[in-house]
Amino acid sequence: PIPAILADTSSVTVMRPGTTPDLANELYTVTMTGTDVDCVYNNTTQIVRASMDIAFRATRAPTDAAATYSVPYFVVVHEGARIYAKRPYTLRFTFAPGAATATIKQSQDDTRIRIENGKLPWNYQLLAGFQMTPAQIAYNSKKSRYLP
């Protein structure tokens, strides 16, 4: 399968509790920065066993305190418009004291895909993105690099 990141959900910003969505109220932002897939195809069973590595970069305003956060994300197995599976995951990460950035790599092992007759493993895609609230989606669209 081909790894990819869903552009509209590639970054999520979390606001300080009890505040309105605004640049001044951002607690941290996490961005998916890259993906890689390793897979093994069994010709007899027509099953691909894949593992997907996802790289993340978290940023926050400089502060002396360490902090640990977690954000939900997903990986979808699809081919064209057909979705075969959506799996939820949680990214847990820590900012060191005084650090404004954290770099994280997380692996999702043993995704199994049964290859349909006439298809090839690269006809399928592993697509990753953050699971976001409607408010987070709206905030992303306001600060997005894409035009509406």
Side-chain angles (χ1 to χ4, degrees):
I2 297 170
I5 298 170
L6 184 59
D8 290 343
T9 63
S10 65
S11 184
V12 62
T13 300
V14 175
M15 300 295 159
R16 287 182 178 80
T19 63
T20 57
D22 183 76
L23 183 62
N25 296 328
E26 290 184 5
L27 184 59
Y28 62 87
T29 298
V30 186
T31 303
M32 292 182 177
T33 59
T35 60
D36 191 27
V37 167
D38 185 34
C39 63
V40 176
Y41 180 52
N42 184 321
N43 287 326
T44 305
T45 62
Q46 293 186 307
I47 292 178
V48 171
R49 293 180 66 181
S51 63
M52 183 177 190
D53 295 331
I54 305 173
F56 301 87
R57 184 171 187 269
T59 58
R60 68 173 179 171
T63 179
D64 291 336
T68 299
Y69 301 106
S70 60
V71 292
Y73 69 99
F74 62 85
V75 174
V76 170
V77 178
H78 79 96
E79 183 227 350
R82 184 172 178 192
I83 295 175
Y84 293 93
K86 179 182 177 186
R87 293 193 177 141
Y89 296 96
T90 300
L91 173 68
R92 192 168 164 78
F93 62 97
T94 300
F95 288 105
T101 64
T103 303
I104 312 101
K105 190 171 190 178
Q106 194 165 346
S107 295
Q108 284 62 54
D109 296 327
D110 204 27
T111 298
R112 295 172 188 227
I113 305 167
R114 179 173 297 281
I115 306 299
E116 294 179 4
N117 287 334
K119 302 287 182 177
L120 298 168
W122 51 84
N123 293 133
Y124 299 83
Q125 187 174 55
L126 294 176
L127 186 63
F130 286 105
Q131 191 68 49
M132 297 190 294
T133 66
Q136 289 169 325
I137 292 169
Y139 188 72
N140 260 11
S141 68
K142 285 181 186 175
K143 65 181 230 177
S144 177
R145 62 187 168 137
Y146 303 104
L147 295 174

